[in-house]
Amino acid sequence: MFTSGTTSEPKAVVLTQCNYAHVARAMAEAANLGPGDRWLVTLPLFHANAQYYCFAAAIAVGASVAMTSTFSASQWGKQAARLEATHASLFAAPIRMILARRPEDTPQLRLKHVWFAQSLASGHFDEFASMVGCAPRQLYGMTETVAMVTAERPEGASPNFIGNPSLVGRTTAIVDPDSLEPVEAQTPGLLLVAGTPGCDLFQEYLSDPKATSTALVEYGEGTWLRTGDLVVSDQDGRLRFVGRVDDVIKVSGENVSLTEVEAALAQAPGVLEVAVVPRPDPIRDVVPVAYVVPRRAETPLDIEELNAWAAENLPPQSCPRDWHQVDELPRTSVGKIRRSQLTAQDA
């Protein structure tokens, strides 16, 4: 299976039967899935989201799956109702598109469970929860981790956290990205995930031993996956996702998570979608720059209004220094934004 390739070229991940048996049991239990339930799958079947979280889990317990031929933001709610779905799994970007494009006659849904991944602002979280009839639960996982590493509890689910790894039986460490030394409490660091390659971690990267040895490292007494993601833990062990190592920039010495800025700006007036990339700056080292798809194509963005909104809702270092209106954003097959293409364009 290939990784999604949001920040680099996709890599071919080698999986085993043990991997699929493990993820099937783990994800069915985490979603409280039973024989009478039905997953709605609108994302590509060749991706981990559909295979790990939906199909494998359904096979494990005898649940059913309703699969659409393509993703339609405007029709997603009607499809969920017509196909009598009880469970769904989405990324934050498609959720924002669903909320922006759903027609007025979209029925009220009564789903039992929804997974989502990547940052979703609190306003969008509440709006989507009202639409589907349950609080969506944020999880964190990668193609390489097979099953999820963290997930929010059904009760008290929040868009601000990805959950506690100990609650789903995973062992993690938060370390300095360069030295791999543990970081102090409540300090952002690189997430490591312990496991057994070929069982609860991927086997290897296909024909790429160098990439495999970089990702799978010996740490302490076992094998750990270097995820490439930064997280921070609260005092109860609940993790908050900060962003990919490459997606956290320093603006005048202050850390800025591009992922968090994007989630906030998606709520700004007139904005349908947004991507934020770094640009070199002679004074501040780097600054954030926003690429925005307007909610109405025929209405140009009001840059003064966006600057005022950003100044009121973001720290000074997180406010975009430039705004670019675009017709669409470059995406992967599952709807994730390819920031690398925008970075090249901005350069």
Side-chain angles (χ1 to χ4, degrees):
M1 187 185 301
F2 282 86
T3 59
S4 58
T6 54
T7 57
S8 61
E9 288 298 313
K11 292 191 280 291
V13 174
V14 177
L15 302 166
T16 68
Q17 175 61 26
C18 182
N19 284 141
Y20 276 99
H22 169 75
V23 74
R25 293 190 296 267
M27 298 309 300
E29 180 179 355
N32 195 26
L33 192 69
D37 293 323
R38 176 172 296 163
W39 280 102
L40 174 62
V41 176
T42 57
L43 300 180
L45 183 54
F46 55 77
H47 189 265
N49 188 288
Q51 288 196 29
Y52 290 174
Y53 304 162
C54 305
F55 269 87
I59 291 170
V61 299
S64 61
V65 175
M67 183 170 64
T68 63
S69 60
T70 188
F71 170 73
S72 171
S74 62
Q75 295 301 306
W76 187 88
K78 293 182 179 181
Q79 290 170 339
R82 178 172 58 83
L83 297 170
E84 299 179 350
T86 61
H87 288 57
S89 183
L90 293 162
F91 292 101
I95 289 176
R96 289 191 285 265
M97 293 167 64
I98 290 168
L99 294 174
R101 296 174 178 170
R102 58 175 171 160
E104 292 183 0
D105 60 348
T106 300
Q108 172 64 55
L109 301 176
R110 293 287 183 265
L111 271 64
K112 296 180 180 179
H113 173 89
V114 178
W115 289 128
F116 83 94
Q118 301 184 322
S119 295
L120 195 62
S122 57
H124 288 149
F125 178 88
D126 293 340
E127 187 178 355
F128 192 67
S130 177
M131 174 184 172
V132 300
C134 67
R137 295 170 60 192
Q138 185 168 192
L139 56 66
Y140 169 84
M142 303 170 62
T143 308
E144 292 92 333
T145 67
V146 194
M148 63 187 181
V149 177
T150 66
E152 280 284 80
R153 291 178 178 271
E155 62 281 358
S158 164
N160 301 317
F161 294 94
I162 58 175
N164 188 323
S166 65
L167 298 178
V168 295
R170 302 302 292 253
T171 301
T172 61
I174 304 174
V175 300
D176 180 272
D178 298 318
S179 68
L180 299 189
E181 292 295 322
V183 299
E184 296 181 1
Q186 301 184 30
T187 300
L190 174 68
L191 180 65
L192 301 183
V193 181
T196 302
C199 188
D200 55 356
L201 293 176
F202 78 117
Q203 180 71 41
E204 61 183 346
Y205 291 119
L206 181 65
S207 304
D208 197 341
K210 182 178 179 180
T212 301
S213 62
T214 299
L216 296 173
V217 297
E218 297 303 313
Y219 180 78
E221 299 181 355
T223 301
W224 298 69
L225 171 68
R226 190 198 306 253
T227 64
D229 288 322
L230 297 176
V231 299
V232 62
S233 174
D234 70 4
Q235 58 186 3
D236 298 320
R238 203 178 184 191
L239 302 186
R240 181 173 64 84
F241 181 76
V242 177
R244 297 288 295 173
V245 170
D246 295 338
D247 290 344
V248 177
I249 62 175
K250 279 191 177 293
V251 181
S252 299
E254 296 287 340
N255 287 330
V256 173
S257 167
L258 300 180
T259 301
E260 293 179 351
V261 176
E262 287 173 349
L265 292 179
Q267 300 180 106
V271 173
L272 176 64
E273 299 179 273
V274 61
V276 180
V277 300
R279 186 185 68 192
D281 184 86
I283 297 176
R284 302 177 182 86
D285 299 323
V286 291
V287 294
V289 174
Y291 286 82
V292 180
V293 179
R295 186 172 291 272
R296 294 180 177 83
E298 68 278 5
T299 305
L301 292 171
D302 187 329
I303 303 303
E304 289 187 5
E305 183 180 30
L306 288 173
N307 278 324
W309 190 94
E312 186 176 345
N313 291 275
L314 290 170
Q317 67 271 17
S318 299
C319 294
R321 296 310 190 270
D322 277 318
W323 304 82
H324 300 279
Q325 181 170 329
V326 295
D327 294 332
E328 61 182 9
L329 298 173
R331 295 189 176 279
T332 68
S333 58
V334 294
K336 295 181 181 179
I337 297 169
R338 292 187 184 273
R339 278 209 204 97
S340 58
Q341 294 185 12
L342 291 171
T343 304
Q345 179 179 337
D346 193 60

